[in-house]
Amino acid sequence: MSTDDKKQKTESGLSAEEMERLNRVSYVLGMEAIKRISSQKVLIVGLKGLGVEVAKNVILSNVKSVSILDNELVQIGDLSAQFFLTEKDVGKVSRAAASVEKLQELNRFVEVNVVTEELSEEIIKKYTIVVLTNNRSISTLKKITDACHKNGVHVIASDVRGVFGWIFCDFGESFVVTDVTGEEPLSSLVSSVGSEKEPQVITLDESRHGLEDGDYVQFAEVKGMTQINELQEPIRIKVTGPFTFKLELDTTGFSAYQSGGRVTQVKMPKTVQFKSLSESLAAPDFLFSDFAKFEHPQQWHLLLEALLVFQERHQGQLPPSHHKEAADEVIAIVKEINDKLPAGSPVKVEQVNEAIVRPLIETAAGEISPMSAVFGGLIAQEVLKAASGKFNPIYQWLYMDAVEALPKAPEGAAVPADEYQPLGSRYDDQIAVFGRTFQEKINNLRYFLVGAGAIGCEMLKNWAMMGLSSGPNGRIFVTDMDTIEMSNLSRQFLFRNPDIGKFKSKSAADAVTRMNPQLKIEAYTAKCGPETEEFYDDAFFKNLSGVANALDNVQARLYVDQRCVQTGRSLLESGTLGAKGNVQVVVPFLTAHYGADRDPAEKDFPSCTIKSFPYMVQHTIQWARELFEGEYNKMAEDCNTFLDRDDFWATLPKRGNEALQLDLVQTVEKAVKERPTTFEQCIEIARMRFEELFYNNLAQLTFLYPREHQTDKGMPFWSPPKRFPTALKFDARDPLHTAFVYAAAHLVAATYGLPVSKNQDDENYVAKVASQVNVPPFTPKSGIKVNTDESKKEEDVGSVNIDNETAFVYGAAQLVAATSGLPGTNTHDDE
């Protein structure tokens, strides 16, 4: 695709290149949300560590524009968390001016500019969302947030002070959330519907319906009581059991229920009324972040206001690190604020707990990278919520601390007087929080990072800011065998367009070395697995301080976990799925390791249901995944085994029973016979596969079991949950048909290592070639048996571009859904 082609706007209003960048993001948010996000004008005030994290994340999210306002000159301590500043910038340029060019490099489709004027109501009116960081005055904070509230501008205020942070959100007096959870609507098959004023609905007991009180539903395909299918308005429900619920609906005038039907949850919009900050300070609504600290939010809330009052009295300065007199003054302000609160105030506490607030005051002067990263991610999520109306926003205050991370001196040991004093180094803010002893220790750690994708990039950036492995004995080892693709650029922020095609590990290592030249890092491209144990041997692992996983599959995680257990190394495990994430800290001889607590197995659908009688969208997705695995992964693995092993035939009897051996031989034989030499032959193979999967197989099934077929007991064979299928005739004008053949042809080409030219890499070209393929007419066969017994399971018989894989699974699942009359899937499900 040419540069001009990539600049052309698609139906979404975004260019082809933007769509390619946002490919994975669209699975989570959906295109409607992405279009809303792309129209937002965002102002970010304050560009220290927290501000630059927010800016980075929001720019990658593809908003329309981001303006940054921070006129203060760069200070050496800023480099503890602000990754786009260098020592050359110190004392010479403002934080905003020093960062704007590097922020622009993140996404050329987002306009990034610097605002130098003093923040005012007139400036605020130019934006749809305002983010306030590095706040220094309670009166100024009230003034700006109140102006945003008055003018209908969504505002998020936040700060990170040492190991303490807070977020406040105000999205206006009538903010509409279109989808509270972001999850797919639930759906169940119906067993019966009563005829009464509040009828009870019973669902088939294959799985719990998962609905909650107050949810809304709609019905389809109900026989007998057809009036319920025709209702335009969703019906509110009250749950009475895992397989039952009642409707707020009178069905006494409806026809009697006979059979069948599907009930589907309807996502209803929710209106949220936000209070201004001035109003909310006195009557806050807390979102709890740690239920082990249930009594803390009121203490934190008082502390926040006290710190801002202290700054107002001291020209914006925070209390110096571990300065007793300054800490005492802040505590006095906390008590003063608390005493002035009226009796019954939700914020008023019986007694200010110094054990909670004093450690946070003593370390408030420093801004550290991990806290900035966490809060920067949270704030960026709130920006996306404000822009899209998707997911429930923070209402309205979120507080969090990590006081457990602060070092504790041994009992009776004296802390050196200069332990928390600055050294004039880039780590001064971190020293203000954790001390010089901690900094020296972290400088000399030796860590192994497995994976340099989205999580890996963030991890390396944080380590660079912290100074991890920057000392004489320190070293970071990072490995990733993958290369950079366009779709990576929307979330793996260390990479740029010129890096496409390069190894992730090497590009990431180069990027973080530019952020902190003191970093000592080695980049590898060898996979960490059984085949590389000679390289990543026991001596390698035992020479590490710890290991961090940033992987995208369970098998690799289990292997690294096993090596850490064998060598007694700690492991930091993490992962993401859409808007969700998880972290597990593994400490030898103290915690369970990753492999000790496996996730519950996914629901195993009966083979006959998956292959012949799907009645849920999940069945079509599972079928498509199994098809992909067999057609492309398994075939390639079996052929490579045949080619690489001289003893293939001698070891064949050891590869399972005769059925498995025969399957292996037939797979290799088929791969050799069908081997294409041109991309046009790949299209032909894909077109014939379409015919086999979506016409021939279904025509054969309906020949054996016509619509009027009955079971041995005289019951209709095609009764719920079975759905009578429709064989699909290929239509080159149908975008779904063409998309399947396009994805399948590319996968065949990738499997056999065939190149695809620019002229061939076009759906119109693929459709033209596919329509010219000579497809022999199908003749049904008699005497074939189809497994219809769900209790019987078949024996298990068993690297391509991820975007083609997703497109293939998506297209295959959609086509199966079409043959069974099921509603279409979406790419978030398939991903």
Side-chain angles (χ1 to χ4, degrees), residues 351-387:
Q351 184 177 357
V352 174
N353 190 332
E354 292 194 30
I356 294 175
V357 299
R358 185 174 286 275
L360 304 180
I361 298 169
E362 291 178 341
T363 56
E367 184 177 18
I368 57 175
S369 177
M371 289 293 290
S372 295
V374 169
F375 276 82
L378 289 171
I379 295 167
Q381 284 279 69
E382 296 309 303
V383 170
L384 298 187
K385 293 176 188 178

Side-chain angles (χ1 to χ4, degrees), residues 104-226:
Q104 183 64 78
E105 289 174 357
L106 292 171
N107 188 348
R108 68 187 182 91
F109 297 102
V110 178
E111 179 187 347
V112 183
N113 55 72
V114 175
V115 176
T116 56
E117 300 95 329
E118 185 177 345
L119 189 58
S120 66
E121 188 169 344
E122 289 306 309
I123 290 178
I124 288 170
K125 290 178 181 179
K126 298 177 182 178
Y127 301 94
T128 55
I129 302 171
V130 172
V131 179
L132 303 172
T133 70
N134 197 24
N135 299 286
R136 296 184 170 185
S137 162
I138 187 65
S139 58
T140 302
L141 182 60
K142 288 179 180 180
K143 177 183 175 182
I144 298 301
T145 54
D146 287 355
C148 291
H149 187 88
K150 170 187 169 184
N151 290 283
V153 177
H154 302 325
V155 62
I156 304 164
S158 178
D159 272 316
V160 169
R161 303 303 187 203
V163 292
F164 168 62
W166 60 274
I167 297 174
F168 167 79
C169 292
D170 174 8
F171 298 164
E173 296 179 358
S174 56
F175 179 73
V176 178
V177 182
T178 57
D179 186 348
V180 172
T181 65
E183 301 289 345
E184 285 298 301
L186 300 167
S187 183
S188 298
L189 294 176
V190 177
S191 176
S192 73
V193 183
S195 295
E196 50 195 317
K197 288 187 176 181
E198 286 192 356
Q200 177 165 274
V201 178
I202 302 176
T203 61
L204 290 179
D205 60 359
E206 181 183 84
S207 61
R208 297 167 182 260
H209 54 62
L211 299 168
E212 299 179 359
D213 282 348
D215 280 351
Y216 287 78
V217 298
Q218 284 184 323
F219 290 83
E221 303 176 15
V222 172
K223 295 180 181 178
M225 192 182 286
T226 55

Side-chain angles (χ1 to χ4, degrees), residues 745-757:
H746 275 75
L747 289 170
V748 172
T751 301
Y752 287 98
L754 293 175
V756 181
S757 69

Side-chain angles (χ1 to χ4, degrees), residues 197-265:
K197 288 187 176 181
E198 286 192 356
Q200 177 165 274
V201 178
I202 302 176
T203 61
L204 290 179
D205 60 359
E206 181 183 84
S207 61
R208 297 167 182 260
H209 54 62
L211 299 168
E212 299 179 359
D213 282 348
D215 280 351
Y216 287 78
V217 298
Q218 284 184 323
F219 290 83
E221 303 176 15
V222 172
K223 295 180 181 178
M225 192 182 286
T226 55
Q227 297 93 330
I228 204 167
N229 298 328
E230 299 164 1
L231 295 174
Q232 298 298 315
E233 295 296 323
I235 310 162
R236 186 181 171 93
I237 70 162
K238 181 178 181 181
V239 174
T240 55
F243 306 101
T244 60
F245 56 86
K246 287 192 173 184
L247 303 175
E248 293 186 4
L249 174 73
D250 187 348
T251 59
T252 53
F254 290 3
S255 304
Y257 174 85
Q258 292 179 1
S259 65
R262 176 179 298 277
V263 60
T264 303
Q265 180 189 32

